[in-house]
Amino acid sequence: MEMRVAAGRWTPLLLLATLLLASNLVSGSHFRYGTMSWRPIDATDTEVGQTILADPILVRHTVAFEFKAAYRRDYEWGKFFREQYRPPNVAGGTQVWKDGGSCYTEDSCSVLGISNPSNYMLFPFIAQGFYVGWEIKLAVGRSYFELNVTGPNANDELSDTRRPCVSPFDTGDKPLCRGGVPSGTQYPTTQIDPTTNCVGSICAGSLVPYEITYPDFVSALTVPCEQVDDAEPDYCSPWSQTYGFFFGDSDTTGIPLSTDVVLEITEMNYEVTNVGNYLLGTASFYHTYQEAGVPKKKKDDFTPWTAYFTGGNRLTYSTDRLINNHQGRFRLELTVNLNYPGEVIGKQGYVPNNSPVMTALPVLPVPYTGRSEISANGVLATFQVSGFDPDIDPEAYKGNKLESNEAVYYFLGSQRKMGMLLANQVPDLKFPSRWFRAEYEEARRDCYLSSCIPVGGVADPFILVGTGANLIPAGVNLTVGQTFTPDPLNAAHNAFATFKYEGTCSECAGGNRTCTQLREEGPSGITIETPLNFTCELYEPWDNNVNLAHQPERLYLDRYSGVVQWETGINPRDVDNATYVTDFWNHRDPGDETKVTYAKRLAAKGTQPSPEQEPLQPGFYNVVFDVRSYSHDPDCHLKVYDAATLGSISPHTGKAFTLPAPGNGGLYTEAQCKAVDDENMIDIAYVSVPLDFLLFLYPPASWCSKSKCRNTQAGITTFRDEGFYGTQNDVNVLSTGSCTICGGGEWNLYDVSAAGLTDKQLNLTDYTVCLQDDDCKYDFDTVAITPAIEADICKRNTPPKWVDQASAGNDDGNTPTPRLADRPTWSTLRVVPSDPTSALASDPFIDGVPIENVYPGLALFLGQRSSEVRFNLTAVDEDDCVEMQILPIGLFMGYTMYTMTEDGLTKGTQACTYKDATKDRNCIYNMKLELIRRIGTTNQFYRTFIWKANDTLPQIQDPRPPNVIVCFIPFDNYQIGVRRCVNIILSKDQALFWVDARPKLRELFLSENERNDAFEEIVSKCGLSVTGPNLKHYENPCEYTPADLTTFYISPGQTLEFYMTAMQDSGNPPIGIYISEGGTMRANGTVGPPEGATFEYLEYDDKSGKTHLRDPAKRRFTWTPKEGQQCKYVLCFIGNNTRELEESIEFTSTFFWTRPFVPIPALLDERCYTIVVADQQLDMQAGSFVDAAAALPSLTSDCGMTFSMWFYPEGTTTMSLATFGYTKPGETDNIVYMLEWDPVTAVVFHDGITVQDLGQYYRLKFSTGQSYIIQTDAEFCVNEWHFLTFTIAPNGNFVLYLDGVETTHYSDDDRDFHVVAVETGSMPVVDGKVEIIGDILNNNPGYTGFLRIGSFDAVQTFNGMIGDVRIYSRVLTAEEIGAKQFVPLTATSEVGLEAYYKFNDGSQADNTLGNPQGNFNKYRAQPPASADPDCNLAGDTFCNNDVRDAPEGPFGSEMKAKGQSVTDLSGNNNHAIGCDDANCRKESTMYFVFGPSPITPPCPQETSPDVVHVDGGTPIAISGIGFARSQWLKCSFSMSDGSIKVIKAVHSDNSTIICANPGSPDLTVSALEVTNGGVNFFTNFQIPIYMMERVVSFPETGGKVTIKDACDMIGTNLFSMGAWVYPLSQSSSALEDVISLIGMTSNDQTGLLSVRYDGVRFVVHEKIGNTETALGESPDAPAHNMGEGSGWHYVMLSGNTDRLVLYMDGESTELTATSISLSTCDLELGTTTTGRKAFFGYVEEMSAFSGFLNACDSYQIMWGN
């Protein structure tokens, strides 16, 4: 980025040596921040007095206000404006108010003349927290006086200032009576409202009206006069002088009601810095709203009460660097509308409406951020303000809303809400300030006229001399500020228009001069005159955007999230000419905010601004937000709004109101009234509160590196620190240790002449500050100091970040993390753009900005009713030094919560009183944050959030709202991090229900006491059919969850759609819905829908105007399968009440709430569905056909033609297959070509005794209209699929193919028995060309063509099925025909394809069954009633009875084809049509049926057996779908050597075939594949076949294999015996006999030598007679069930006269030598002997030797050597 100095942005700061009245300076130097809110009261607010509490009407018209404000701490409190202070009250007494002479006459104030400076209060530091509880009175008054009536004067005139002026531009001063007229004579009003941009002396519609409430009112256009022009207010107190709190209503005499505000100090900041040195306080007070003494909830039907506080001026520019609105009037304004939504809609336990509540730092520091940078919330400098609405709808406790708290919307405050008036002092600094336009322009003209006097003394005034050639006529001269108005009676003026002369700086040729101004007298009688250096640029013409209150330049606010973007520039010195790092969006349209679309892209990524953006000035900026929430006022949409009478312009914004929708009789719609995000909606629709605070714009701060420098010397002083950062530690802030400040944080020079200075000189960065200790890690003699090294030494401050949980919902002590599923697409309030084509429909911040920063989403914390909520908020700052705060936004207090009945209804009484919750802080339901803590010595800090509960209450009576959002921000005293909002959901122990057709579910959720609006909305779409005895719910457009075990049939190219809808009556979102089994395994380990399918969350409208992903939750499954996906799929779905990241779902528990966490068993109702993707065929019987005539005109002799079709004949007589022809007008059908299936007479051998029938065979015949016949040999059968093709070339060559293109038969040795035939011939040729059907039709326009696929007429009928039909307008070669025979076509890659029919057009919608949700078929589940999850609510009439919601399964006549369209898939729209009863045999039938053909990819799914012997020959039954009765049906087996063996399959039915195991030379796992077409095996559907040798399986109940007389072969004195052993038992309770030698010793005793298994290892025992001895054991040999190793072990026992050794898996163990000697014995594997434990497992490869084998021998034998 090129760095160039901004040209002429600012001028040198004026050096004023003025002795100004202190009140003028101080009055504008102490306000920092303010906000107000209100809440209705109830009977627990005892402070209002028993008179009000005893009257329910008064209670409902009384509100409690809360006022928060921050002021300069060491301002001279008690000196001006009737302000007083006092310490906290002590027991037994009340402290006296003190002041320093702030009043003239009040008893409680000192007299000004005897004011004592020692009584001023500067609140000096005594001890931390010393002043907490002190009070400051901010009184009501004007200047030093009360608002009252004074006089009469000598002329018997009164001054009545009890009413604040309505218009900010009203001085309240009566005009001077002239010409001896009496007092009170009405003069025309002359004061102008400058916001109308009026030009001229009189402006229609721009005059400030004389209000009807003012004294001596006659007309709004006249004002009474006075005898002495005292320049003092007479009939109202002007905005420029008035202070105090005004409620907006009035007493019985019409006098506005007001109150002194007593501010209780809650925090004192002693940092003598720009952003410190303030006191923060709150005030609470009550008011009962009335009009003329009668309680009233609002001013009128369409006007709420407007309450406001005004309290002096803002900061100055010269001393405090407030860039905008310096010395402007401070005004906080809110609206009050007392509605009780519960009362209005008749629900038990009314809950009143509250205003929003705002919080902010008194001064928010903002670092310069250029277009090439990303800050916390996006591009440019960003920050986020936050508020919340504490309203809790009683219905929220029953789950009918996403959030218990309502949404708030953020707007930039209008000029009126910013106070409207500015001091307008520059450059004259007169007192009082030049508030008004007329005064300002007069003073400006005077200054111009007196300032430009050259040295020679010749006057050079600012005068425009008229010449007639310029803008004014000759003879007219204008001084600065004067206006020329043409005289209609003067002809010389005809060519001129009204013109106002403003002057130009160029006219002051002699340069700047001194403009001397006389200051007016102050209250003490002092007169001050001061020379002032005049620069005419500083005294520009009046501009409403400059001279009236205004927001900072280039500041944009997102009304939904509160995110502010501010284009500040890169630093105070340089222009920003970089390109935008990403798209820059403005979330309002400054050009036209009447639009409903509030977004506009100001600049695209990569664009460079033109002209270059100059930087904003550093320093303070005043910002006012207007924050709104829904008013719930029913009058808004129930009463007619007459704009002509009530007005169409907002008095607050000056913009046109949004008017009622046309055609609605003057009524607003309810949706309009709820559209609080519409800034121009009428005031009654919303409740508004202000937030007024300061931004401090500064160059980004930098700290010295801790690893490079010692940081012991103080560095640069910033706006809040003196040389060091990282040293603050108190109850709110913790630090990590100090770093020297080496840049930024302050701007020392405001003179543009500093353009040539360096960064170091301008305090941007100075890395040398870090080297003051001479302890840097760089050797500067040898290392060149590059910018990169400078940046490494002096590091720029970065904002703090949240430390997220490792996975969402996993409480590991870090901050709750937003889930991806809950990430909003547009804003944190999940507002969806109404125009899906707008740029907002896709996130504009994807590129270059982390989406979690721009719209961070909601973290979810799941708790339980009546149980405590606790989690940590952990933040980290990656800077070397840190001062960390973690601040809450919107913590709920117990006074906003309501006690509950045993039925879960609100009682209308608070859970805690306001005093308990806010003053005494002893309400357990208050949300709290513990003190900040540091994690060890790291830069990580945390605060613990706690929301306690009464665990003795039943869950249904927990008064805490079950679904709230609270927010938090991390702050390092220089930058704010991204806001984190946590959605806290308190669940009840309640089952999760699928929303389906069970009437009992309807009863549960639609009963009077348990009515659930969301459920009612869902079922309302379904009509009454869910309870009708003869109706089926799927006939209606319901979005029900299908019954468990439902089956869906769908064909490729059709779309399956169904909804999974789940809910809890408790309404505890978000509910998650997932595929639990059977889907496609994804890379992250989760189960997803099959390829090409989507499973997306949808939204419900909760009747409040916004939509939510909530309870109930709805997720739509949509799938359009492709070719190759024909198979049977089983998908299972579950719901749980947390939308987790799917890879971290814990399906066995519903939620956690205790610490440590204990899972609650989930009440799961897993829904499983079968989806069968299957081809369809056309089933024809007894004379039906499909006419494909639309394709015929394209078949001409130019290129010839090809016709192909698959058919499955079932009849035994001659049948037509396809007939081409035409009909002449008035004649019968003319056949051009006909294809027929023709039986051949049976062959009979007769020897005189025996008759032998060899069966009936068929042939394919082709004939023309001239009876030319070609036919195949009779070698084909019915009841199997055949493929026919014929081609006609332009030269007449004709080829007929049946079942392929080869001309020979396969031999038996090839194990393939299908027959093929190819016949050739020639067609009649005329003039060198054959005439093809298309030629005939094209040459004879009156002919009507037909192509009847199937039957021709009632005689030549077709019985069977038709599959793929392809029609080409060219001749396909034999190679092409062979290549395409078994392959579905891709139309876009086919040349000359004119029509392609697959007949996948059927669905239940074609019949009276009806399925409007899609072109798929649905079949009901038929589980036993006891096991059917759909029956888990009693009274389910859809559970195993006669009321069916779908057919039980596919059946032949469910999808009719007669009269139905058949889609042409070629893209040519040559669609065919099924005949109907009018043009085909009436008795005939024609249906679409599900079934495979040879081109269908079969889908094998299971085999029996799946383990076969390697020798081969085992029949394997293969089950699945899509097995066609095809001559080419085959199985493929992969071999271990890489070869493939293909075996012909036997067709049992469409779901079962049998193939023989081909055998394998060795053990292998073979991939079994199936094809219907002899080629093109479908690798998508492979099944493993295990080809293995056999083993002996020993059951747990006992089994034995005996080798008789083994001792005759091996003996017991020299032997070895071993085997592979696979134990399955883990039991060690008894030893299992594995291998034993058992027999008789030489002295006739029973003898036994046995290898046994004890569940862990092998042991060897010998037994002689009754004496049994253990000889030793092997190392551990775990069984397979223990999950270690394969489970197989090789065990060998080898012995001689001296040794006995046990080998196990090649490892030897020496045993005690056996003493047994058997004369005769048997060798046994396993046992069945009573008293001995049977071996449970497998034994393989048993061997025995008559010799002792060593370890090497054993190892070789183990591996088969």
Side-chain angles (χ1 to χ4, degrees), residues 1244-1260:
V1244 177
F1245 294 90
H1246 197 296
D1247 61 3
I1249 301 173
T1250 303
V1251 177
Q1252 201 169 34
D1253 187 347
L1254 298 183
Q1256 192 171 49
Y1257 290 87
Y1258 296 81
R1259 62 189 173 194
L1260 179 64

Side-chain angles (χ1 to χ4, degrees), residues 777-788:
K777 296 295 181 67
Y778 291 101
D779 181 355
F780 296 107
D781 294 331
T782 59
V783 177
I785 303 302
T786 64

Side-chain angles (χ1 to χ4, degrees), residues 1639-1647 1663-1665 1716-1720:
M1640 301 298 294
T1641 66
S1642 55
N1643 55 2
D1644 295 331
Q1645 287 185 294
T1646 302
K1663 184 177 182 182
I1664 302 174
I1716 193 171
S1717 177
L1718 300 176
S1719 57
T1720 60

Side-chain angles (χ1 to χ4, degrees), residues 1338-1640:
N1338 295 333
N1339 294 332
N1340 298 277
Y1343 289 9
T1344 301
F1346 59 82
L1347 169 50
R1348 295 176 185 168
I1349 301 171
S1351 303
F1352 171 61
D1353 55 22
V1355 177
Q1356 291 176 288
T1357 65
F1358 173 76
N1359 296 327
M1361 290 184 290
I1362 302 294
D1364 267 29
V1365 173
R1366 301 117 180 243
I1367 304 174
Y1368 289 84
S1369 59
R1370 68 181 182 90
V1371 176
L1372 269 63
T1373 65
E1375 290 77 11
E1376 288 181 294
I1377 293 170
K1380 299 176 188 296
Q1381 178 175 350
F1382 299 107
V1383 180
L1385 301 183
T1386 302
T1388 55
S1389 61
E1390 294 295 320
V1391 177
L1393 182 65
E1394 301 298 338
Y1396 179 33
Y1397 308 108
K1398 283 186 64 66
F1399 303 105
N1400 285 341
D1401 297 281
S1403 75
Q1404 291 168 339
D1406 296 334
N1407 284 334
T1408 56
L1409 294 169
N1411 189 356
Q1413 286 183 326
N1415 51 358
F1416 59 88
N1417 288 11
K1418 178 179 176 183
Y1419 304 100
R1420 78 176 304 273
Q1422 299 182 76
S1426 60
D1428 184 3
D1430 292 342
C1431 301
N1432 59 17
L1433 286 178
D1436 181 9
T1437 59
F1438 290 97
C1439 191
N1440 298 294
N1441 57 33
D1442 293 335
V1443 180
R1444 302 294 192 230
D1445 66 350
E1448 295 182 1
F1451 57 96
S1453 61
E1454 67 173 326
M1455 298 185 293
K1456 68 178 182 179
K1458 274 192 172 184
Q1460 301 297 310
S1461 177
V1462 177
T1463 303
D1464 170 23
L1465 301 176
S1466 73
N1468 296 316
N1469 294 322
N1470 289 325
H1471 306 305
I1473 186 73
C1475 68
D1476 55 25
D1477 290 342
N1479 53 28
C1480 63
R1481 189 179 179 189
K1482 195 169 186 178
E1483 294 79 8
S1484 66
T1485 61
M1486 183 164 55
Y1487 298 100
F1488 298 105
V1489 295
F1490 289 107
S1493 73
I1495 68 168
T1496 300
C1499 179
Q1501 293 186 305
E1502 294 183 45
T1503 61
S1504 180
D1506 59 356
V1507 180
V1508 296
H1509 203 275
V1510 291
D1511 294 343
T1514 304
I1516 302 174
I1518 305 165
S1519 59
I1521 70 163
F1523 300 132
R1525 190 176 181 85
S1526 165
Q1527 313 167 53
W1528 303 271
L1529 183 64
K1530 298 174 184 177
C1531 296
S1532 165
F1533 295 86
S1534 62
M1535 297 290 105
S1536 59
D1537 60 0
S1539 63
I1540 299 293
K1541 290 187 178 181
V1542 178
I1543 304 296
K1544 183 171 178 62
V1546 177
H1547 185 273
S1548 296
D1549 54 44
N1550 290 350
S1551 61
T1552 307
I1553 62 173
I1554 297 174
C1555 286
N1557 167 28
S1560 173
D1562 48 22
L1563 306 180
T1564 188
V1565 180
S1566 175
L1568 169 64
E1569 300 168 8
V1570 180
T1571 179
N1572 284 321
V1575 293
N1576 299 325
F1577 288 93
F1578 287 86
T1579 57
N1580 288 346
F1581 307 115
Q1582 295 181 335
I1583 296 181
I1585 297 295
Y1586 300 91
M1587 298 185 183
M1588 304 177 66
E1589 296 181 356
R1590 292 190 173 93
V1591 300
V1592 179
S1593 176
F1594 292 88
E1596 195 169 10
T1597 55
K1600 181 174 66 174
V1601 174
T1602 302
I1603 303 174
K1604 301 294 290 183
D1605 299 327
C1607 286
D1608 293 345
M1609 296 177 283
I1610 62 173
T1612 55
N1613 296 322
L1614 195 63
F1615 72 95
S1616 296
M1617 55 184 184
W1620 278 100
V1621 180
Y1622 188 102
L1624 293 174
S1625 174
Q1626 298 180 42
S1627 172
S1628 59
S1629 59
L1631 300 176
E1632 301 179 1
D1633 285 348
V1634 182
I1635 308 173
S1636 303
L1637 289 174
I1638 184 169
M1640 301 298 294

Side-chain angles (χ1 to χ4, degrees), residues 1010-1307:
E1010 294 290 335
R1011 195 163 197 87
N1012 187 293
D1013 293 342
F1015 183 82
E1016 183 177 21
E1017 180 186 349
I1018 297 170
V1019 301
S1020 66
K1021 298 179 180 179
C1022 305
L1024 300 176
S1025 60
V1026 291
T1027 56
N1030 299 314
L1031 297 176
K1032 305 167 181 63
H1033 76 260
Y1034 70 91
E1035 295 175 357
N1036 293 274
C1038 299
E1039 294 170 358
Y1040 280 140
T1041 300
D1044 191 34
L1045 305 182
T1046 294
T1047 299
F1048 300 98
Y1049 268 69
I1050 185 77
S1051 294
Q1054 294 181 330
T1055 299
L1056 169 65
E1057 180 181 284
F1058 60 83
Y1059 296 82
M1060 302 300 298
T1061 306
M1063 70 178 297
Q1064 284 181 291
D1065 187 30
S1066 57
N1068 294 308
I1071 291 174
I1073 302 172
Y1074 309 98
I1075 297 176
S1076 55
E1077 299 179 63
T1080 301
M1081 188 63 68
R1082 298 185 295 200
N1084 62 2
T1086 63
V1087 178
E1091 182 182 356
T1094 60
F1095 193 38
E1096 57 183 343
Y1097 284 104
L1098 302 177
E1099 298 176 336
Y1100 282 122
D1101 187 347
D1102 71 351
K1103 299 184 180 179
S1104 69
K1106 66 179 181 178
T1107 54
H1108 308 298
L1109 301 172
R1110 59 173 178 94
D1111 179 3
K1114 177 175 62 174
R1115 204 168 181 184
R1116 179 174 59 203
F1117 180 90
T1118 306
W1119 188 23
T1120 304
K1122 302 176 182 178
E1123 281 290 344
Q1125 291 185 303
Q1126 292 93 325
C1127 198
K1128 179 170 70 174
Y1129 303 81
V1130 177
L1131 295 180
C1132 297
F1133 301 83
I1134 65 166
N1136 63 5
N1137 72 339
T1138 169
R1139 187 159 317 138
E1140 296 273 7
L1141 293 175
E1142 294 186 31
E1143 55 263 37
S1144 63
I1145 298 171
E1146 173 55 70
F1147 291 117
T1148 60
S1149 60
T1150 304
F1151 28 68
F1152 302 96
W1153 74 93
T1154 59
R1155 298 178 68 88
F1157 295 133
V1158 177
I1160 300 175
L1163 301 176
L1164 295 182
D1165 175 4
E1166 188 177 44
R1167 293 291 172 97
C1168 293
Y1169 309 118
T1170 299
I1171 302 173
V1172 179
V1173 182
D1175 284 338
Q1176 295 179 33
Q1177 317 300 333
L1178 196 59
D1179 185 284
M1180 300 176 168
Q1181 302 292 328
S1184 54
F1185 62 84
V1186 168
D1187 191 351
L1192 295 180
S1194 61
L1195 308 180
T1196 69
S1197 57
D1198 292 339
C1199 295
M1201 66 166 288
T1202 300
F1203 176 84
S1204 299
M1205 66 179 284
W1206 281 97
F1207 66 99
Y1208 185 97
E1210 295 175 341
T1212 58
T1213 61
T1214 298
M1215 297 184 290
S1216 58
L1217 298 174
T1219 308
F1220 297 72
Y1222 60 90
T1223 302
K1224 296 180 182 179
E1227 295 186 10
T1228 58
D1229 296 337
N1230 293 273
I1231 296 174
V1232 179
Y1233 322 122
M1234 176 179 282
L1235 290 158
E1236 296 174 281
W1237 186 248
D1238 189 33
V1240 177
T1241 304
V1243 179
V1244 177
F1245 294 90
H1246 197 296
D1247 61 3
I1249 301 173
T1250 303
V1251 177
Q1252 201 169 34
D1253 187 347
L1254 298 183
Q1256 192 171 49
Y1257 290 87
Y1258 296 81
R1259 62 189 173 194
L1260 179 64
K1261 293 172 59 177
F1262 176 85
S1263 61
T1264 68
Q1266 292 76 30
S1267 298
Y1268 179 82
I1269 297 175
I1270 294 177
Q1271 61 188 24
T1272 67
D1273 293 335
E1275 302 179 67
F1276 300 89
C1277 300
V1278 294
N1279 296 323
E1280 63 182 15
W1281 284 97
H1282 298 281
F1283 182 68
L1284 72 82
T1285 302
F1286 75 84
T1287 64
I1288 303 176
N1291 62 2
N1293 289 342
F1294 172 87
V1295 184
L1296 177 66
Y1297 303 89
L1298 183 60
D1299 289 348
V1301 297
E1302 296 113 343
T1303 58
T1304 60
H1305 300 176
Y1306 288 110
S1307 67

Side-chain angles (χ1 to χ4, degrees), residues 146-213:
E146 296 179 275
L147 300 184
N148 54 16
V149 178
T150 59
N153 60 12
N155 297 300
D156 202 28
E157 296 171 332
L158 298 176
S159 175
D160 187 351
T161 59
R162 293 173 297 172
R163 302 169 184 82
C165 296
V166 174
S167 170
F169 309 107
D170 196 336
T171 64
D173 184 24
K174 294 179 181 179
L176 178 66
C177 296
R178 302 179 185 277
V181 299
S183 297
T185 300
Q186 297 291 318
Y187 278 32
T189 58
T190 59
Q191 297 182 106
I192 302 297
D193 181 346
T195 61
T196 60
N197 294 308
C198 170
V199 176
S201 58
I202 301 295
C203 303
S206 300
L207 297 171
V208 174
Y210 192 79
E211 299 290 335
I212 192 172
T213 57

Side-chain angles (χ1 to χ4, degrees), residues 667-686:
L667 290 172
Y668 285 98
T669 65
E670 190 170 359
Q672 280 184 299
C673 293
K674 290 181 178 179
V676 182
D677 58 343
D678 179 359
E679 184 175 16
N680 299 311
M681 191 57 193
I682 58 171
D683 298 344
I684 204 65
Y686 58 85

Side-chain angles (χ1 to χ4, degrees), residues 102-365:
S102 62
C103 306
Y104 268 121
T105 59
E106 253 192 313
D107 293 339
S108 60
C109 291
S110 303
V111 177
L112 182 65
I114 60 172
S115 62
N116 184 353
S118 65
N119 287 337
Y120 306 156
M121 173 54 74
L122 303 178
F123 292 105
F125 178 79
I126 296 177
Q128 198 66 248
F130 177 80
Y131 295 107
V132 172
W134 281 57
E135 293 177 330
I136 296 174
K137 183 192 291 185
L138 304 173
V140 177
R142 179 183 66 84
S143 187
Y144 289 85
F145 309 98
E146 296 179 275
L147 300 184
N148 54 16
V149 178
T150 59
N153 60 12
N155 297 300
D156 202 28
E157 296 171 332
L158 298 176
S159 175
D160 187 351
T161 59
R162 293 173 297 172
R163 302 169 184 82
C165 296
V166 174
S167 170
F169 309 107
D170 196 336
T171 64
D173 184 24
K174 294 179 181 179
L176 178 66
C177 296
R178 302 179 185 277
V181 299
S183 297
T185 300
Q186 297 291 318
Y187 278 32
T189 58
T190 59
Q191 297 182 106
I192 302 297
D193 181 346
T195 61
T196 60
N197 294 308
C198 170
V199 176
S201 58
I202 301 295
C203 303
S206 300
L207 297 171
V208 174
Y210 192 79
E211 299 290 335
I212 192 172
T213 57
Y214 296 164
D216 304 322
F217 172 83
V218 173
S219 166
L221 298 178
T222 62
V223 59
C225 68
E226 63 180 350
Q227 295 298 325
V228 178
D229 189 4
D230 55 8
E232 286 294 319
D234 300 302
Y235 55 84
C236 67
S237 181
W239 283 36
S240 57
Q241 301 179 31
T242 308
Y243 48 84
F245 191 97
F246 298 87
F247 294 109
D249 58 349
S250 56
D251 61 17
T252 55
T253 64
I255 302 301
L257 295 170
S258 60
T259 186
D260 297 341
V261 173
V262 177
L263 193 72
E264 180 181 338
I265 297 174
T266 59
E267 179 184 343
M268 193 73 75
N269 184 297
Y270 297 99
E271 296 176 358
V272 187
T273 62
N274 286 358
V275 299
N277 192 35
Y278 62 82
L279 62 83
L280 182 65
T282 64
S284 298
F285 45 93
Y286 297 90
H287 183 66
T288 301
Y289 271 96
Q290 57 179 294
E291 187 68 36
V294 178
K296 200 172 182 182
K297 292 182 178 179
K298 53 190 174 184
K299 188 171 183 178
D300 57 48
D301 287 346
F302 289 97
T303 309
W305 299 115
T306 298
Y308 62 92
F309 174 83
T310 180
N313 297 357
R314 302 186 186 278
L315 307 184
T316 64
Y317 177 80
S318 57
T319 59
D320 300 302
R321 292 298 300 171
L322 179 59
I323 309 302
N324 68 321
N325 306 340
H326 38 271
Q327 294 218 189
R329 295 299 288 168
F330 157 50
R331 178 184 176 96
L332 295 176
E333 183 178 299
L334 54 67
T335 61
V336 180
N337 192 351
L338 298 176
N339 284 294
Y340 292 74
E343 182 183 44
V344 171
I345 59 179
K347 296 178 180 176
Q348 178 179 350
Y350 69 88
V351 176
N353 192 36
N354 293 260
S355 78
V357 177
M358 295 299 299
T359 57
L361 297 172
V363 180
L364 178 65

